[in-house]
Amino acid sequence: MSRIHTAALAASAAIAFIVGGWAFFAPGAFYDSFPGMLGTWISTDGPFNEHLIRDVGAFYLALGVASVAGLVWRSPAVLRTLGLAWTVFGALHLGYHATHLGHQDAADDTAAITSLSLALALGVVLLIPGRDRGRADVAPATGAAATPTPAKTEAAR
């Protein structure tokens, strides 16, 4: 896993735990004051629904735990799966907000779209394959099984 993948996964996990923890464990405060210093984006969009806000918190926390698992296991398959999950969620989330502008002031709309675009970009980064750094366990492009040479085996250690 490249440094950029690690950073994107760590940032995604941090976002998930901040947003998810706040929404799940303090749904009233989340509704009244999310995202904090940037404005109040939730309460301007309809009445308080504790069930819905806790569900959103649980979803974010689940993505956060999965992201930490990706940091631990560092598998390309896990990384791509997390990239798909974060990208689909990010695109749908951004799409909703981009088509429901105007219930808050323009500065808040701009900040919301910008932050959601950055979150989506983190998911897309996770989808970009890393470079093969001469690993002996990676098959060549022909699809044939790779036969480790002593030089490759030594380099892998």
Side-chain angles (χ1 to χ4, degrees), residues 7 15 46 135 143 147:
I15 290 167
R135 289 182 19 213
T147 305

Side-chain angles (χ1 to χ4, degrees), residues 41 44-45 93-117:
W41 300 349
T44 61
D45 197 24
H93 195 182
L94 174 60
Y96 172 82
H97 286 281
T99 58
H100 291 84
L101 299 172
H103 63 272
Q104 54 195 12
D105 65 39
D108 282 332
D109 280 343
T110 301
I113 296 302
T114 300
S115 66
L116 292 171
S117 296

Side-chain angles (χ1 to χ4, degrees), residues 32-126:
D32 288 336
S33 59
F34 182 83
M37 295 182 293
L38 295 176
T40 55
W41 300 349
I42 309 299
S43 60
T44 61
D45 197 24
F48 176 71
N49 182 325
E50 181 178 358
H51 176 194
L52 178 61
I53 290 177
R54 284 188 189 264
D55 282 356
V56 167
F59 173 76
Y60 266 104
L61 290 171
L63 273 175
V65 168
S67 296
V68 169
L71 288 167
V72 171
W73 285 309
R74 298 182 175 269
S75 156
V78 170
L79 187 67
R80 297 294 103 57
T81 302
L82 287 166
L84 280 172
W86 277 109
T87 299
V88 168
F89 171 64
L92 294 173
H93 195 182
L94 174 60
Y96 172 82
H97 286 281
T99 58
H100 291 84
L101 299 172
H103 63 272
Q104 54 195 12
D105 65 39
D108 282 332
D109 280 343
T110 301
I113 296 302
T114 300
S115 66
L116 292 171
S117 296
L118 292 172
L120 172 58
L122 292 172
V124 171
V125 165
L126 297 174

Side-chain angles (χ1 to χ4, degrees), residues 131-141 144-157:
R131 293 187 322 208
D132 173 18
R133 294 186 178 156
R135 289 182 19 213
D137 61 328
V138 176
T147 305
T149 62
K152 284 184 180 179
T153 305
E154 284 300 317
R157 292 184 193 160

